[in-house]
Amino acid sequence: MRKRRRGEPDERASQPGSCARKPLISGNWKMHKNHLEAIAFIQKLSYALSADDHEHVDVSVHPPFTGLRSAQVVLDTDKLPILLGAQNCHFEADGAFTGEVSPSMLAKLDVRLVVVGHSERRQLFGETDDDVNRKARAVLAAGMTPIVAVGETLEQRNSHQTESVVAAQVAAALAGVSSQQVAGLVVAYEPIWAIGTGKVSSPGDAQQVCRLIRDQVGEMFGQEPAEGVRIQYGGSVKPVNASALMAEPDIDGALVGGASLNADDFARIVRYRLSE
Ligand code: 13P
């Protein structure tokens, strides 16, 4: 098979109905690493990963906005097959929105994936389901792929609301999206109680919610597009637990926080298949 160049879509992963969803391992750096540290990280990561790794797994890094241009230059100059991602964006194309960054600005920097609706955005910055929906649609309209993040709090989990909360978040985030667009998108299931706590969901529990997410997408758009959606698990993913999570049939990748800040740890997560 011809090797994809950076910037080309992954045909296997985005084909509706394709059972061969190519895994996507994404590093969400949150508010860590300046632009110089971003360059050093990417160089180290690319050295640690082989062509075979990239053949099996799509890899994205999501620096803060200030690191995107430097990351783009190093990825482009060295022709590295690592996808560039952002952590957030505004839903408007331009205008008087002090401090915000638009999807088209990100697309111009070769950003391919944008996380929308991360629980930290929802909880700390007051983002609503409606905001998340507008962002997801704006990212798609700018030709990029949203990583739509959903997940329940510990309180919701303990009161057996996980399924209803997550299904409602997925339904709200994807309202008004076309079934063609849905087939290529990414949903990240991140239980809030597992983020940064070291308390990873059991693979079986995570699989159950990821299956529910696929079923919810299927109900809205049909089974075929739903089978093309990549669903990531996020929340205390580490080199030691990645392969067990990735063995589940509806878990197609990971959205990694803390462990994505260390290039060796992140590379070991990308290479999860070698530790099985
Ligand atoms: P941790 O991997 O640090 O738990 O963070 C998960 C996360 O929020 C990724 O978006």
Side-chain angles (χ1 to χ4, degrees):
M1 195 179 94
R2 185 176 68 84
K3 201 163 175 300
R4 270 185 311 131
R5 294 218 320 266
R6 203 168 75 79
E8 282 183 340
D10 174 7
E11 285 162 13
R12 280 178 301 170
S14 59
Q15 253 170 28
S18 164
C19 290
R21 291 182 296 266
K22 188 176 180 184
L24 171 65
I25 307 284
S26 303
N28 174 13
W29 296 358
K30 308 191 179 184
M31 200 168 74
H32 295 286
K33 297 193 190 294
N34 62 38
H35 71 289
L36 299 173
E37 292 165 332
I39 293 169
F41 177 96
I42 289 168
Q43 285 169 333
K44 195 166 178 194
L45 177 65
S46 71
Y47 190 74
L49 298 178
S50 66
D52 195 51
D53 294 330
H54 290 294
E55 199 60 42
H56 284 88
V57 178
D58 281 337
V59 181
S60 67
V61 291
H62 299 244
F65 288 135
T66 51
L68 288 175
R69 173 63 177 158
S70 303
Q72 180 213 13
V73 169
V74 78
L75 291 172
D76 193 44
T77 306
D78 294 346
K79 303 277 173 277
L80 303 178
I82 296 169
L83 301 169
L84 187 56
Q87 302 174 16
N88 182 33
C89 66
H90 193 55
F91 45 76
E92 294 289 352
D94 49 44
F97 301 102
T98 301
E100 295 292 332
V101 171
S102 77
S104 62
M105 293 170 184
L106 297 176
K108 198 78 179 161
L109 282 170
D110 293 341
V111 167
R112 301 284 312 284
L113 297 145
V114 184
V115 180
V116 298
H118 192 281
S119 60
E120 287 150 19
R121 300 294 319 167
R122 295 178 191 256
Q123 291 196 318
L124 304 176
F125 300 98
E127 275 186 20
T128 64
D129 277 341
D130 185 50
D131 294 329
V132 177
N133 174 246
R134 293 171 84 171
K135 289 182 181 200
R137 285 187 290 132
V139 168
L140 286 164
M144 299 177 291
T145 298
I147 297 180
V148 177
V150 298
E152 81 285 3
T153 63
L154 185 59
E155 203 181 14
Q156 289 164 337
R157 182 176 192 85
N158 289 341
S159 53
H160 308 289
Q161 293 174 33
T162 300
E163 302 205 344
S164 60
V165 166
V166 170
Q169 285 176 335
V170 171
L174 302 185
V177 169
S178 74
S179 45
Q180 212 181 359
Q181 291 173 319
V182 157
L185 74 72
V186 182
V187 178
Y189 168 54
E190 298 205 304
I192 294 168
W193 49 270
I195 294 177
T197 59
K199 290 183 191 147
V200 65
S201 171
S202 74
D205 284 357
Q207 158 61 23
Q208 207 176 323
V209 182
C210 291
R211 181 70 237 176
L212 167 110
I213 290 169
R214 198 176 306 287
D215 288 345
Q216 175 63 37
V217 175
E219 245 175 63
M220 294 173 75
F221 301 96
Q223 205 48 43
E224 221 179 80
E227 289 301 324
V229 170
R230 288 189 283 187
I231 304 178
Q232 296 177 312
Y233 167 80
S236 297
V237 175
K238 309 284 176 211
V240 291
N241 57 31
S243 70
L245 288 159
M246 291 299 297
E248 296 293 339
D250 287 290
I251 299 180
D252 309 313
L255 184 55
V256 187
S260 77
L261 297 173
N262 176 292
D264 291 329
D265 285 348
F266 189 56
R268 284 170 64 204
I269 293 172
V270 170
R271 312 185 90 191
Y272 68 89
R273 69 189 193 287
L274 304 179
S275 61
E276 277 167 331

